[in-house]
Amino acid sequence: MPHITVDYSESLTEAFDRRGFALALHPLAAKIISTTPGACKTYFRRMEEIVVAGGEPEHAVIRIEAAILSGRTPETKTELSEAVMDLVRQYLAATPQLSVQTSVNVLDLDRTWYRSDTVDRTEGTV
């Protein structure tokens, strides 16, 4: 936790430094929501087809959802969404041929139901 999902237009494959973005995002998110960078996971999904407006090819999208444990204040969620938006701009190269629409949404993972575990198989146990 947090679980961060990034959907992006295929046309941004070369322009969007996804690994750099995730590696910068994890310590930033951890600081804002009081967790550790090691708890952060970012998943990227390249979208082959996203239709924006009238479907013109000069449109592209980066859509980010950050699912965090419930209980954070609205101010914390706002700070996180604004920080993510600022950060994505740093890892997106200039795309003069594209209009890139970017969005960030922060979602709650219900503490009542959410479960997570790390399994370490280095001990040789089954």
Side-chain angles (χ1 to χ4, degrees):
M1 193 287 308
H3 295 279
I4 302 158
T5 304
V6 181
D7 296 321
Y8 65 96
S9 297
E10 186 173 40
S11 58
L12 296 174
T13 299
E14 296 299 319
F16 184 28
D17 177 3
R18 296 171 302 282
R19 182 171 177 77
F21 172 73
L23 292 174
L25 176 59
H26 294 173
L28 177 67
K31 180 179 178 186
I32 293 170
I33 64 170
S34 300
T35 190
T36 64
C40 299
K41 297 143 197 87
T42 300
Y43 313 93
F44 293 94
R45 298 186 296 199
R46 183 180 68 230
M47 309 307 288
E48 292 181 20
E49 186 170 352
I50 298 175
V51 179
V52 178
E56 299 83 2
E58 65 270 8
H59 293 285
V61 171
I62 298 175
R63 180 182 162 274
I64 303 165
E65 285 192 349
I68 62 175
L69 283 176
S70 59
R72 282 14 188 262
T73 66
E75 294 80 13
T76 298
K77 293 175 186 178
T78 298
E79 181 181 356
L80 179 60
S81 64
E82 289 174 354
V84 171
M85 186 67 79
D86 289 342
L87 190 66
V88 77
R89 290 182 190 110
Q90 295 175 39
Y91 288 88
L92 180 63
T95 55
Q97 73 284 11
L98 294 173
S99 171
V100 182
Q101 295 184 17
T102 305
S103 65
V104 177
N105 187 28
V106 177
L107 307 170
D108 282 334
L109 294 170
D110 191 322
R111 289 177 184 267
T112 307
W113 318 117
Y114 179 77
R115 298 292 180 267
S116 179
D117 190 19
T118 300
V119 178
D120 183 357
R121 295 290 182 199
T122 61
E123 298 297 316
T125 59
V126 180

